[in-house]
Amino acid sequence: EAQVTQNPRYLITVTGKKLTVTCSQNMNHEYMSWYRQDPGLGLRQIYYSMNVEVTDKGDVPEGYKVSRKEKRNFPLILESPSPNQTSLYFCATGEQLNTEAFFGQGTRLTVV
Amino acid sequence: AQSVAQPEDQVNVAEGNPLTVKCTYSVSGNPYLFWYVQYPNRGLQFLLKYITGDNLVKGSYGFEAEFNKSQTSFHLKKPSALVSDSALYFCAVDYVTSNTGKLIFGQGTTLQVKP
């Protein structure tokens, strides 16, 4: 079954404590990206990757890092989380640019 | 600046009636347009897309959307709404010349279908 798997689904953490949200896909897609969803703002792109070792900033990259060492994994790293990063995060994948995206189930992050 | 607007926060419709969820866009090149649906506690699911060709695009679950270049719109429609269509709907746009992988989403429209 085609899947985009995010972990954890829910996370409460404290300001400044580094965390990683993992994303893994089994569809051999080249394109992966991270979004955050906030009420009234829709989804905003954080980072994206068009292939292994190729990553680039989206619209709201501040405070986030990513890596793409393997095709199937695209972790999102928050080196020093702050309360304004409290949000619902989605990983998405696609065969290539401009094709439909497949989304993970989401990770609800709360930073206190 | 590239943008997508969904002018209605919520659309209410009675079951069996036609529904329309509106979307307008502003991009510098030719757009690729998408609709996604989000059910509670779930990720987004792809409904349909417009790349080129026929302006009327048919998608999943009986939904369709009409691309109107002159009005820069891509409204989502369904002839007969079901209660199970109640969800949050997102319009999104990418643009041909960007080659950046950036997908821009509207703020979302909640569709409420009442029995």
Side-chain angles (χ1 to χ4, degrees):
Chain A
E1 180 189 352
Q3 278 190 328
V4 181
T5 304
Q6 290 179 231
N7 279 297
R9 293 287 312 277
Y10 302 92
L11 178 61
I12 301 174
T13 190
V14 296
T15 299
K17 186 177 180 181
K18 181 179 179 180
L19 66 92
T20 299
V21 183
T22 63
C23 175
S24 180
Q25 52 109 349
N26 64 358
M27 294 171 278
N28 203 37
H29 285 169
E30 291 190 346
Y31 178 76
M32 298 185 75
S33 62
W34 276 102
Y35 296 87
R36 61 178 289 174
Q37 182 180 6
D38 300 290
L41 297 177
L43 277 79
R44 294 177 292 169
Q45 192 175 49
I46 303 170
Y47 269 94
Y48 64 95
S49 169
M50 290 200 275
N51 214 327
V52 176
E53 302 293 0
V54 180
T55 63
D56 209 344
K57 296 177 181 179
D59 292 317
V60 289
E62 295 79 20
Y64 304 95
K65 284 175 56 177
V66 293
S67 68
R68 187 91 182 274
K69 292 184 170 52
E70 322 165 78
K71 200 171 190 178
R72 62 183 290 124
N73 295 322
F74 190 46
L76 179 69
I77 303 157
L78 284 73
E79 294 271 2
S80 183
S82 62
N84 64 13
Q85 293 178 297
T86 292
S87 187
L88 180 57
Y89 292 86
F90 288 102
C91 177
T93 78
E95 287 183 356
Q96 55 187 318
L97 287 177
N98 306 322
T99 60
E100 57 266 35
F102 294 81
F103 284 79
Q105 297 276 65
T107 296
R108 187 166 292 281
L109 172 66
T110 301
V111 183
V112 297
Chain B
Q2 327 295 338
S3 65
V4 177
Q6 293 179 240
E8 301 154 318
D9 288 337
Q10 183 157 328
V11 170
N12 298 309
V13 64
E15 188 174 32
N17 283 0
L19 69 89
T20 299
V21 183
K22 295 180 181 177
C23 172
T24 59
Y25 64 90
S26 173
V27 299
S28 56
N30 292 320
Y32 290 168
L33 293 155
F34 301 83
W35 275 102
Y36 289 86
V37 59
Q38 184 180 28
Y39 297 101
N41 299 315
R42 302 291 298 274
L44 279 71
Q45 297 176 31
F46 169 77
L47 276 180
L48 50 79
K49 68 181 176 185
Y50 172 83
I51 303 296
T52 186
D54 195 346
N55 289 344
L56 185 63
V57 178
K58 294 190 184 296
S60 307
Y61 313 120
F63 283 94
E64 57 190 28
E66 186 167 12
F67 171 64
N68 187 318
K69 188 172 184 177
S70 63
Q71 296 185 3
T72 62
S73 67
F74 189 56
H75 300 332
L76 181 70
K77 300 182 180 186
K78 187 173 182 182
S80 179
L82 300 172
V83 172
S84 58
D85 292 330
S86 299
L88 182 58
Y89 290 81
F90 289 99
C91 180
V93 63
D94 195 351
Y95 43 109
V96 175
T97 56
S98 75
N99 204 35
T100 63
K102 287 190 178 185
L103 192 61
I104 303 167
F105 283 83
Q107 73 271 35
T109 298
T110 298
L111 173 65
Q112 191 78 258
V113 181
K114 297 184 178 176

